Amino acid sequence: MIQPVTDTRRQRLRDLIDEVAQGNQARFATMIGKSRAYVGFWLADPTKPHAKAMNHESAREIETRFGKPPGWLDTKGA
């Protein structure tokens, strides 16, 4: 079964937050110039009304900021 890109981005974002901000969402939010709540919306269970899918532009900006190749957030990690 193929996982939707939104699910993959959510998991990879968690991985990146762990890597660059020691799991601290507030610290990560500051690093990307967003509010802690905004990052929380990206990470929220998609069945919740406050959940937001990360758009393509945001994904590419985050990848660039942290030296990841384009599409990194869209592919499953090893």
Side-chain angles (χ1 to χ4, degrees), residues 27-66:
R27 182 179 306 147
F28 182 80
T30 299
M31 294 168 87
I32 64 168
K34 301 280 187 194
S35 70
R36 161 49 200 103
Y38 202 90
V39 172
F41 295 151
W42 283 338
L43 294 170
D45 179 333
T47 64
K48 304 297 181 192
H50 63 276
K52 296 193 185 320
M54 180 188 298
N55 65 34
H56 180 78
E57 293 78 19
S58 294
R60 301 300 79 87
E61 287 174 15
I62 290 169
E63 290 163 347
T64 298
R65 181 175 299 250
F66 294 103

